[in-house]
Amino acid sequence: MIREFALGNTRSFNSDIDIVSRAGRNDIFAAIKNYHPSVNKFGGYRFIVGKQLYDIWSFDDTWAFKNGLVEGSSIQDIFKTTFFNLDAAVFHLGKRQLFCSESYIDSLQRRVLDLNLQENPSPSGMVRRAIKLAISNELAVTPRLGEYIVNHIDMVKLDDVSSSYVRNLRVFLSQQQDGNFSFSPQGCLFSHE
């Protein structure tokens, strides 16, 4: 949600809202039981209020903490658990304050999408999300994320625009160019590969 707002997509935001709580699992359930929550695939809860979908879980149940990839002791440690750099931000409801990683604002201003924590339970899903985010928000992709996409792409069925994206990304990476990869679907329509 924070990423979408920061990229100027406030009006078109239609995703779930993730909530991380310091409360334990049982206390979370007690607080949301009237909304008929279901257990999500990571052991947290998914529920709906009005038309808005929420996922909530205990801080200690964060996937990267539970799998020993990141040590979780403070709110800043949440920044280390996100797959994308542009997801490394937290709005603290109690303090009404935004917290983010050191590089977050710079990456946002430069519109650069990068890997933050490579380990993920769904590489093919993250590849699809990366391509969609990059194309729909006109984000440049770092070579590191580009390599991840190329190395995990065979698991994913792509539409024509996404296929063109990956072809152009492969060319960019093979030429070992400096900087980040940017994609222009309009330009690709007229290229003869």
Side-chain angles (χ1 to χ4, degrees):
M1 178 173 139
I2 295 169
R3 177 196 66 229
E4 293 305 313
F5 281 33
L7 290 172
N9 300 329
T10 308
R11 290 182 186 263
S12 62
F13 177 76
N14 66 351
S15 187
D16 63 345
I17 296 175
D18 292 337
I19 302 171
V20 181
S21 174
R22 282 293 196 169
R25 198 167 193 286
N26 292 336
D27 291 335
I28 291 171
F29 181 79
I32 63 171
K33 67 182 176 187
N34 292 340
Y35 299 103
H36 311 290
S38 59
V39 177
N40 66 25
K41 62 184 172 184
F42 297 112
Y45 295 104
R46 176 163 275 206
F47 64 101
I48 299 173
V49 177
K51 294 181 180 180
Q52 183 59 59
L53 184 63
Y54 296 87
D55 279 327
I56 186 170
W57 64 91
S58 174
F59 179 88
D60 294 331
D61 288 339
T62 299
W63 182 85
F65 299 159
K66 285 182 80 167
N67 286 278
L69 301 170
V70 175
E71 185 178 331
S73 57
S74 73
I75 193 170
Q76 285 80 7
D77 293 328
I78 287 289
F79 310 149
K80 302 172 190 170
T81 69
T82 64
F83 182 79
F84 296 117
N85 64 325
L86 296 183
D87 287 338
V90 173
F91 184 79
H92 192 289
L93 293 172
K95 295 180 180 182
R96 296 192 176 283
Q97 185 177 356
L98 179 69
F99 294 90
C100 58
S101 67
E102 290 181 23
S103 62
Y104 182 80
I105 301 296
D106 180 59
S107 295
L108 191 59
Q109 289 173 336
R110 293 185 308 115
R111 299 186 77 80
V112 174
L113 188 63
D114 194 7
L115 277 174
N116 189 38
L117 177 66
Q118 180 171 326
E119 292 82 5
N120 187 277
S122 178
S124 62
M126 298 318 289
V127 165
R128 286 191 303 271
R129 282 190 64 211
I131 294 169
K132 181 180 176 184
L133 275 171
I135 292 172
S136 63
N137 292 288
E138 298 178 7
L139 300 174
V141 169
T142 64
R144 186 169 66 142
L145 178 54
E147 290 289 344
Y148 186 92
I149 291 169
V150 168
N151 290 335
H152 293 88
I153 199 64
D154 61 339
M155 297 182 285
V156 191
K157 292 184 178 180
L158 302 173
D159 59 32
D160 290 342
V161 173
S162 297
S163 294
S164 179
Y165 181 93
V166 173
R167 278 194 309 276
N168 284 273
L169 175 59
R170 283 190 171 127
V171 169
F172 173 85
L173 293 171
S174 70
Q175 294 174 351
Q176 298 180 343
Q177 299 178 29
D178 290 332
N180 300 313
F181 171 72
S182 293
F183 178 67
S184 173
Q186 292 82 6
C188 296
L189 293 174
F190 303 105
S191 67
H192 299 287
E193 296 176 26

